[in-house]
Amino acid sequence: MPIAIGVDIGGSHISSAAVNLLTHQTIPGTYHHGEVDSKASKDEIFKRWAAVINLTLQEVEENELLGIGVAMLGPFEYRKGIALFEENDKYEALFQVPVGEEFPKYLLYKDLKLRFLNDASSFGIGGALSTELKDAKNTIAVTLGT
């Protein structure tokens, strides 16, 4: 079964789960959540993110993994995986860090592809793919952020 890891990174938390790409359902036992100090050093931030994601990775077979999709708050250069957090009181230690290149070194499986998407957009995509909405012709996703 093809699997992707879905990750949500917020200003104070990280959540991770494995998703069956055939059914778009979370694989039981793979959801993990943790707190993050967004004012910490780059190394500490990456270690905390990896601690949660690696718990999910331990629950699945490496040969079934297609990659990791990361719902990331902005500002962020999503296609290139570069953090642009400057003067926003969150993750400033990551300013101009190529997260897509540097972060995989902290993961259990180093060769996984990472794809970054805006967190609000990811919420909408996830909602549209959910089994509860599988027969819906249209979906509206509304998010409120700080």
Side-chain angles (χ1 to χ4, degrees), residues 58-80:
Q58 290 174 4
E59 303 293 333
V60 296
E61 296 294 326
E62 182 179 9
N63 64 342
E64 294 180 325
L65 289 171
L66 299 181
I68 299 176
V70 182
M72 177 69 76
L73 67 161
F76 199 89
E77 194 168 332
Y78 297 99
R79 286 186 182 207
K80 294 183 179 179

Side-chain angles (χ1 to χ4, degrees), residues 52-119:
V52 172
I53 295 169
N54 284 336
L55 289 172
T56 297
L57 289 174
Q58 290 174 4
E59 303 293 333
V60 296
E61 296 294 326
E62 182 179 9
N63 64 342
E64 294 180 325
L65 289 171
L66 299 181
I68 299 176
V70 182
M72 177 69 76
L73 67 161
F76 199 89
E77 194 168 332
Y78 297 99
R79 286 186 182 207
K80 294 183 179 179
I82 298 174
L84 300 175
F85 308 114
E86 182 181 35
E87 298 179 12
N88 68 342
D89 208 31
K90 294 178 189 171
Y91 298 119
E92 291 179 307
L94 301 181
F95 180 63
Q96 294 188 336
V97 169
V99 177
E101 294 174 20
E102 292 189 27
F103 177 63
K105 298 170 191 169
Y106 293 77
L107 295 174
L108 184 62
Y109 307 132
K110 313 277 187 253
D111 295 326
L112 289 174
K113 295 178 184 178
L114 273 70
R115 180 167 184 198
F116 299 93
L117 294 170
N118 174 272
D119 54 352

